[in-house]
Amino acid sequence: YHTINFNESYLNKTIIAHDSTIVDNDGYLGLENSRLWLFGGSKINLLIDIKWGTFEMVNSILKPIATRAPLQPFRFWLTMRANSAGFIINSEITNLHQVTDYSSDYVFRNSLFEGMKYTGLDVERASPTIDNLTFSRNSNGLFIYDGNAMVSNSSFLESANSGFYGQGGADTLL
């Protein structure tokens, strides 16, 4: 694991991550006009785990690049834990296994979540701001469990199972 306990900001950069990354102890990971490629190599699971820190992504791309045999399992995860905060704005996240948000302190705006093997954005017991997102070609587009999220101006395209699914809580879809 690569642990970020301080400020790591990238502007106009291409970053290739060869191992999992944890943002912890008030660390900060910021991407602006950048590309973060996840390269798994021999790993089955590669993750970006925002635990006790901040993740901010603006005008950036997050996606895997892999060189494994097609039948070998490969999972890329982006997880924002309950004690984290940040935003994803004007960005693209594609071909991960899933993006999971446990924090109400996130804003998701004007972004694309595409090609997820499971769920584009899985919101668990949280109430983030979700505005003008496009969920395209995911198994499930947006799944909200026991939260109070307000979802506005978003599109759900070509989901294999559910475009939008809410269970428990009082979600609002505008």
Side-chain angles (χ1 to χ4, degrees), residues 134-164:
T134 299
F135 297 93
S136 177
R137 298 190 335 246
N138 303 302
S139 289
N140 297 293
L142 173 61
F143 181 92
I144 301 174
Y145 175 74
D146 203 20
N148 294 307
M150 180 171 294
V151 181
S152 58
N153 305 310
S154 295
S155 301
F156 305 91
L157 310 170
E158 301 179 32
S159 296
N161 297 314
S162 299
F164 173 79

Side-chain angles (χ1 to χ4, degrees), residues 122-140:
D122 178 23
V123 176
E124 297 283 335
R125 294 184 173 94
S127 304
T129 299
I130 299 170
D131 180 47
N132 200 32
L133 296 186
T134 299
F135 297 93
S136 177
R137 298 190 335 246
N138 303 302
S139 289
N140 297 293

Side-chain angles (χ1 to χ4, degrees), residues 21-72:
T21 298
I22 297 174
V23 179
D24 208 355
N25 299 324
D26 294 324
Y28 171 85
L29 175 59
L31 303 172
E32 185 173 349
N33 297 317
S34 294
R35 289 153 307 286
L36 176 55
W37 307 135
L38 303 174
F39 179 75
S42 62
K43 308 276 185 182
I44 291 176
N45 291 302
L46 192 90
L47 57 94
I48 298 175
D49 195 354
I50 316 301
K51 287 188 173 182
W52 289 84
T54 301
F55 177 62
E56 296 180 348
M57 183 174 172
V58 179
N59 299 319
S60 295
I61 297 171
L62 170 63
K63 67 188 259 184
I65 54 174
T67 59
R68 299 195 72 186
L71 297 178
Q72 291 178 320

Side-chain angles (χ1 to χ4, degrees), residues 98-118:
Q98 178 171 294
V99 176
T100 306
D101 175 36
Y102 294 94
S103 173
S104 295
D105 295 322
Y106 272 88
V107 173
F108 301 95
R109 184 169 285 132
N110 301 327
S111 295
L112 172 68
F113 288 72
E114 183 174 56
M116 306 296 179
K117 290 177 179 64
Y118 187 63

